[in-house]
Amino acid sequence: MKVQTKRHDRLTFLKSKVNIETVIDVGVQECTPYLMKAFPEKKHVLFEMIDDWKQTINDNYKDIEYDLYTVALSDVTGEMHRKVEPFHLKKLQEPTRKIDYFRLDDILPNEPAPYLLKIDVDGDELKVITGALRTLQKASVVIIEGRLHGPINMLAVMNFMAGLHFKLWDMFNFMCHDDGQLEQCELVFLSRVVYRKTTVL
């Protein structure tokens, strides 16, 4: 069982310092409340590979301008049969299904930049980033779920993003085990150009 500590949401402060025109949310599931709250006036481009969430997403985003893509993102284009276990959804009749994969660079429409790109795809975050290198050139902020342990842990994500000229700016939404040990959190990166120009620190 996971326990969520009190969240210190700094996105409102970040919004006052960094220009963001479009929110790109990869792995939205039912919604991403902190992005909806911080950027209700911006367009949200949503990606969710499990189309069972579609009606819930439509209901949750009815007061926000958005586009929804029910596809998976990765570093390749193709299809794969995989087991899916939607969080908070009833057990699926077909837990294994065909999933269409695309690179974000190949399907993202020409939305106004700069972007805030959020990625939460249960361990495939670096694959999504690798398929979004052109998109990252238009991003000022990237938020990635980071885990303390495992092959794709926080350090691996931070090193990978550093190689793409993004610097860690903040961490929030801490999730801990029952024993209090940190399990995961959201890592907030700024492009180096934005990092140098802002006075957030």
Side-chain angles (χ1 to χ4, degrees):
M1 179 178 178
K2 301 175 183 178
V3 178
Q4 184 173 0
T5 61
K6 182 177 179 181
R7 182 162 63 108
H8 300 286
D9 191 343
R10 292 139 173 116
L11 291 185
T12 301
F13 177 70
L14 180 63
K15 179 181 175 181
S16 70
K17 300 294 183 179
V18 179
N19 182 30
I20 295 168
E21 293 297 329
T22 303
V23 175
I24 303 171
D25 191 342
V26 182
V28 66
Q29 289 191 347
E30 51 193 323
C31 65
T32 305
Y34 65 83
L35 290 179
M36 297 171 69
K37 181 178 180 181
F39 303 98
E41 78 287 359
K42 301 298 183 181
K43 182 175 181 179
H44 292 234
V45 181
L46 311 174
F47 292 86
E48 176 52 57
M49 72 175 186
I50 301 174
D51 57 12
D52 304 72
W53 283 119
K54 187 173 181 178
Q55 186 57 56
T56 301
I57 292 170
N58 290 336
D59 291 342
N60 288 335
Y61 284 84
K62 65 182 186 303
D63 297 324
I64 294 178
E65 182 184 4
Y66 74 96
D67 287 333
L68 173 61
Y69 294 82
T70 52
V71 300
L73 296 180
S74 187
D75 55 350
V76 296
T77 297
E79 63 181 45
M80 179 187 301
H81 283 81
R82 62 174 291 179
K83 185 176 182 180
V84 293
E85 297 178 350
F87 181 62
H88 283 333
L89 285 179
K90 294 180 180 178
K91 186 174 179 62
L92 298 178
Q93 293 182 348
E94 299 180 16
T96 301
R97 60 175 68 177
K98 186 187 76 171
I99 302 293
D100 293 319
Y101 283 84
F102 295 89
R103 299 169 70 250
L104 182 58
D105 280 345
D106 293 339
I107 65 173
L108 185 66
N110 189 26
E111 301 291 352
Y115 302 144
L116 182 153
L117 173 61
K118 168 250 167 182
I119 306 172
D120 180 357
V121 289
D122 298 327
D124 286 337
E125 285 81 7
L126 297 189
K127 290 183 179 180
V128 174
I129 294 170
T130 301
L133 298 182
R134 292 198 308 273
T135 302
L136 282 174
Q137 294 175 7
K138 300 180 181 180
S140 56
V141 181
V142 180
I143 301 175
I144 304 174
E145 182 181 81
R147 296 164 185 80
L148 185 61
H149 301 292
I152 309 301
N153 55 37
M154 295 180 191
L155 183 59
V157 171
M158 287 187 280
N159 287 337
F160 194 89
M161 292 301 291
L164 297 174
H165 307 295
F166 281 82
K167 294 190 67 173
L168 183 68
W169 176 72
D170 201 0
M171 304 164 70
F172 69 94
N173 206 16
F174 296 97
M175 304 292 291
C176 300
H177 292 286
D178 285 340
D179 61 6
Q181 184 187 27
L182 177 66
E183 180 178 3
Q184 65 187 47
C185 68
E186 310 293 340
L187 306 173
V188 184
F189 297 90
L190 301 183
S191 70
R192 285 185 181 174
V193 173
V194 171
Y195 192 95
R196 289 196 297 267
K197 289 181 177 180
T198 60
T199 57
V200 293
L201 295 179

